[in-house]
Amino acid sequence: MSETNTTAETTVTATEVVLPGKVEPSGLRLARRELPAPTAGQALVRVESTAVSFAESAMRRGRYYGQPAFPFVPGYDLVGVVEAVGPGVAGALLGRRVAALTKTGGWATAVLLPAADLVEVPDGIGPDDAETLIVNGLTAYQMLHRSAKVQAGQTVLVTGAAGGVGSVLVQLARHAGARVIGTASGRHHAALRELGVEPVDYRDPELAARIRELAPDGVDAAFDHLGGASVGLSYRLLNRTGTLVSYSIAAALDDTRPILLDFLPLLAKLAFWNYAPTHRHASFYDIWAGAGKPDSAKREAFRDRTRTDLTHVFGLLRDGVLTAKVAARFPLTEAAAALELAESSARTALGKIILTP
């Protein structure tokens, strides 16, 4: 594979969506910025697809742990085409469609990224379909197979089964041979049944009893995105050797107190359950766990793990095992409307809300 030591001679003007502070979605701003040519180890990516995730809703409230200081460009992940590379980057990457997990910065028409962070998208997969599986696919796959290690024949509970992560998680669990019980609004139940899920209305006042009717001995694994009272319910619904994986505290999204006052008690609760003298397990999943510092051995191992798992998930999409669930598409310039839909109780579609530069 050849190396290139030259880059585009001219700068690129990118349009970006800026989050200026703790604002409503309507407070998002559009800005234009000149991007320099990529330096050593960098690639210039023209963004084809990015998306709205729970993280942006939390960040605009200042409630995402570790988010940068305002103002900044949100955007947790993206898909795009490499248009220029810096010294030391393989020239074969030019023109390739790639995916990247960014945490911030994805809501733009072009970005500069470390080339080592890019994962090639297999031929035949479009940008929007690939976008649905970056953070959501990685989260779902790693929770299912690296955290809970779910096996064929087991029964799992997925809260928010119609959401971005949940809609991928239930498909992966069914592919692994697991029985899936999923909580969701009643309007999503028909679509979930088509995926092989046994749906339960999350607003049912007898939710625990309904799930117990389906799994009298408890579930082998529960995946909880709400935190708060929900995580306690999920733990109680485990069987005697079950595993709980918590991966968000969406129930605390609208709180005004510091996020650590919600996050630390959850971690303490999970640690207590995990070390209690039972055969149950409990943990919190963080997609960035083990990322380490730049240029460290931990960072390289994190990149290898991310590339391996995301490439596998893309392969399942290419082979028809997974179906990309796109809830809606908006132009990047209408990011405010997309974010409003993501946070709206009137949202009726299943899956990911896409932004297309």
Side-chain angles (χ1 to χ4, degrees), residues 100-114:
L101 188 66
T102 55
K103 188 180 288 187
T104 59
W107 288 6
T109 57
V111 293
L112 283 169
L113 295 171

Side-chain angles (χ1 to χ4, degrees), residues 28-298:
L28 293 171
R29 298 196 310 239
L30 289 176
R32 292 171 68 82
R33 182 165 68 95
E34 296 294 321
L35 299 180
T39 57
Q42 285 188 324
L44 174 68
V45 178
R46 175 175 53 82
V47 180
E48 296 179 295
S49 184
T50 181
V52 180
S53 66
F54 171 79
E56 285 82 43
S57 294
M59 287 178 184
R60 76 166 183 83
R61 295 167 168 87
R63 294 190 58 74
Y64 190 90
Y65 183 70
Q67 70 183 73
F70 296 113
F72 63 89
V73 177
Y76 214 87
D77 53 15
L78 62 88
V79 175
V81 174
V82 177
E83 292 202 332
V85 296
V89 179
L93 200 59
L94 287 167
R96 293 294 302 170
R97 175 169 290 149
V98 294
L101 188 66
T102 55
K103 188 180 288 187
T104 59
W107 288 6
T109 57
V111 293
L112 283 169
L113 295 171
D117 289 344
L118 304 179
V119 178
E120 292 195 28
V121 177
D123 292 338
I125 297 179
D128 291 352
D129 287 353
E131 169 58 33
T132 67
L133 293 180
I134 306 174
V135 63
N136 290 350
L138 272 175
T139 297
Y141 182 85
Q142 292 182 346
M143 288 196 303
L144 190 74
H145 293 292
R146 291 187 181 272
S147 298
K149 298 179 173 62
V150 168
Q151 302 296 315
Q154 293 187 324
T155 298
V156 304
L157 170 65
V158 178
T159 67
V165 172
S167 61
V168 181
L169 181 54
V170 299
Q171 294 181 76
L172 288 172
R174 292 292 295 144
H175 177 60
R179 177 191 177 202
V180 180
I181 301 169
T183 68
S185 171
R187 62 179 176 264
H188 295 307
H189 286 191
L192 288 172
R193 288 191 185 97
E194 290 181 2
L195 296 176
V197 178
E198 298 170 55
V200 180
D201 196 323
Y202 75 94
R203 292 169 296 191
D204 190 326
E206 300 297 326
L207 177 62
R210 299 290 170 267
I211 296 172
R212 281 292 186 193
E213 290 173 1
L214 296 172
D217 297 325
V219 298
D220 295 283
F223 302 92
D224 187 275
H225 75 301
L226 289 171
S230 178
V231 77
L233 174 62
S234 295
Y235 184 76
R236 293 193 298 273
L237 289 169
L238 294 175
N239 63 25
R240 58 185 300 273
T241 59
T243 298
L244 167 66
V245 182
S246 171
Y247 65 99
S248 182
I249 51 174
L253 184 62
D254 290 322
D255 286 355
T256 56
R257 60 183 183 169
I259 188 64
L260 281 177
L261 295 182
D262 292 299
F263 191 57
L264 291 179
L266 171 62
L267 294 182
K269 186 181 296 185
L270 294 171
F272 174 77
W273 287 335
N274 200 41
Y275 291 104
T278 71
H279 296 289
R280 294 176 174 176
H281 302 277
S283 64
F284 188 85
Y285 170 83
D286 175 9
I287 198 169
W288 298 99
K293 297 180 179 179
D295 302 320
S296 67
K298 289 185 68 176

